[in-house]
Amino acid sequence: MTTYLSGIQPSGRPHLGNYFGAIREHVRLQDRGGECFYFIADYHALTTSRDPARLREAVRDVALTYLALGLDPGRVALFRQSDVKEVTEIAWLLASVTGIGLLERAHSYKDKLARGIKPNVGLFTYPVLMAADILAYDTDYVPVGRDQVQHVEMAQDMAQSFNALFGEVFRRPEALMPAETLAKVPGVDGEKMSKSYGNDIWIFESGKALQAAIGRIKTDSRPPEEPKDPDGVLLFRFLELFLEPAELAGWRERARAGGAGAPGYGHMKKRLVEAVEEHFAPARARREALLADPSGVDRVLERGAKKARERAVAVAGRALEACGLR
Ligand code: ATP
Ligand code: MG
């Protein structure tokens, strides 16, 4: 049976990039007949989190988000990363066969440094822990956004290093990425949307707060009548995520033509607010209902952890034996 595995950090509230690049794909995969393991990466989040109450809250929020967006916990294991201790054990085994140079080349690490984030050892070794997450479940496919593809490749490298030394222990995983427009959703500043960059839009934002969030999408001072290449207008990157192709084509054409009939940025933002509200309305309602039963989320996470642990215990056992620790 094909195994899919992915994770999301409880480092803030899940945003539109997480949705289009990952969560929506994860929910769709549950219908493919394989096995799905999705974890909430709390060990990873600890590399930046310093607020215990907030971290706990964020873990629940990620779980609620998945459930509201249609994840079926009867078919999918949704669990907390830290509920599977074997992952940290496998991470140590992998760290012991991984060169420092490999980690120094990680884009996401370099991006975070460039943003002025002071790195700790955990942030540096993040790809090792992520490789352990992937390899612990005999994963075939890892559905992720563009930014995580390099980490999956590193997991391939680490699996290969370990297998070359100790025999065929780890299965080789492959990244599974959606179309490029979905795999790298921009933030309001035009850079990759990220929870930790302050440029994100929460999936369930609505009303005035949504208007404010969309109001922050960067525009320029060109007047509506000036003809514009829609590909050079950040707002179109957002509109194309939500509008039907025929409607989108109309907006693009009018922007390109310019003149009296051309839309201004304010007009486009207004349409985007409506489209986001509408797109997530059913999920928002489900989320409200789920909020009323907090213990329901706990049960889902416990059940997921049990299933994940079974698999990881078997894989860790194989790895420990192969390298001589057992
Ligand atoms: P952080 O800033 O804390 O790293 P993040 O916003 O990058 O948070 P992650 O939890 O690291 O989110 O990533 C969860 C999933 O969402 C991953 O599969 C990742 O590839 C995907 N993802 C994150 N940001 C985007 C984006 N802007 N566009 C598409 N997919 C994204
Ligand atoms: Mg990230």
Side-chain angles (χ1 to χ4, degrees):
M1 210 194 282
T2 307
T3 300
Y4 301 95
L5 168 121
S6 199
I8 175 159
Q9 289 199 70
S11 47
R13 294 183 132 180
H15 53 65
L16 298 180
N18 298 140
Y19 174 71
F20 288 105
I23 300 172
R24 184 171 71 173
E25 301 301 315
H26 300 168
V27 172
R28 286 177 175 167
L29 284 169
Q30 69 191 5
D31 296 323
R32 287 249 196 113
E35 270 189 308
C36 299
F37 291 91
Y38 301 138
F39 65 95
I40 304 169
D42 54 354
Y43 279 144
H44 280 302
L46 192 61
T47 59
T48 50
S49 166
R50 297 296 176 255
D51 183 336
R54 210 155 142 199
L55 179 56
R56 271 182 215 111
E57 191 46 44
V59 168
R60 301 185 64 79
D61 191 55
V62 172
L64 276 175
T65 301
Y66 266 112
L67 297 172
L69 290 167
L71 187 102
D72 174 2
R75 287 185 284 163
V76 168
L78 178 68
F79 59 103
R80 235 189 311 246
Q81 181 184 30
S82 64
D83 274 338
V84 185
K85 308 292 182 209
E86 284 69 23
V87 159
T88 54
E89 188 168 38
I90 294 174
W92 183 257
L93 306 188
L94 296 174
S96 306
V97 300
T98 302
I100 287 174
L102 186 77
L103 301 186
E104 282 169 343
R105 288 192 291 276
H107 301 310
S108 127
Y109 176 69
K110 288 195 282 190
D111 288 349
K112 286 192 171 163
L113 288 194
R115 293 236 165 201
I117 294 172
K118 250 174 81 196
N120 48 53
V121 175
L123 192 66
F124 180 64
T125 59
Y126 182 115
V128 182
L129 185 57
M130 179 159 162
D133 287 314
I134 296 171
L135 302 176
Y137 306 99
D138 279 340
T139 301
D140 295 293
Y141 294 105
V142 188
V144 283
R146 146 81 53 219
D147 61 313
Q148 291 296 338
V149 170
Q150 191 196 28
H151 287 153
V152 179
E153 290 165 358
M154 292 174 145
Q156 293 170 344
D157 289 345
M158 291 180 218
Q160 198 183 356
S161 304
F162 191 92
N163 289 355
L165 291 164
F166 302 119
E168 280 302 304
V169 169
F170 294 119
R171 187 178 290 185
R172 181 188 164 87
E174 296 293 340
L176 198 63
M177 225 192 18
E180 193 62 43
T181 48
L182 308 175
K184 191 174 178 188
V185 173
V188 297
D189 56 357
E191 301 293 319
K192 180 193 105 82
M193 186 180 285
S194 276
K195 287 185 240 95
S196 55
Y197 295 173
N199 64 356
D200 57 328
I201 300 175
W202 180 40
I203 295 173
F204 298 112
E205 204 68 273
S206 91
K208 286 238 173 336
L210 179 62
Q211 284 171 24
I214 286 178
R216 289 170 57 223
I217 296 174
K218 214 160 96 187
T219 53
D220 51 50
S221 55
R222 289 178 293 172
E225 351 19 287
E226 187 177 324
K228 299 177 189 74
D229 172 8
D231 291 335
V233 175
L234 179 59
L235 262 169
F236 273 111
R237 303 269 308 277
F238 287 89
L239 285 169
E240 71 190 8
L241 297 170
F242 291 95
L243 299 188
E244 294 297 331
E247 188 189 345
L248 179 69
W251 285 91
R252 285 175 61 96
E253 200 32 59
R254 285 186 289 137
R256 200 193 310 274
Y265 295 134
H267 191 177
M268 290 163 68
K269 286 184 171 178
K270 190 158 167 281
R271 179 67 190 101
L272 182 60
V273 169
E274 285 165 14
V276 176
E277 290 269 11
E278 191 189 319
H279 187 91
F280 294 112
R284 203 177 290 119
R286 275 198 297 274
R287 186 171 183 277
E288 292 302 318
L290 288 161
L291 275 170
D293 173 24
S295 65
V297 171
D298 295 330
R299 284 196 300 277
V300 166
L301 294 177
E302 272 165 36
R303 183 170 164 187
K306 187 166 175 283
K307 186 168 176 205
R309 228 181 278 126
E310 266 166 37
R311 178 72 64 91
V313 165
V315 175
R318 243 163 45 208
L320 289 169
E321 183 158 358
C323 64
L325 288 180
R326 283 295 173 279

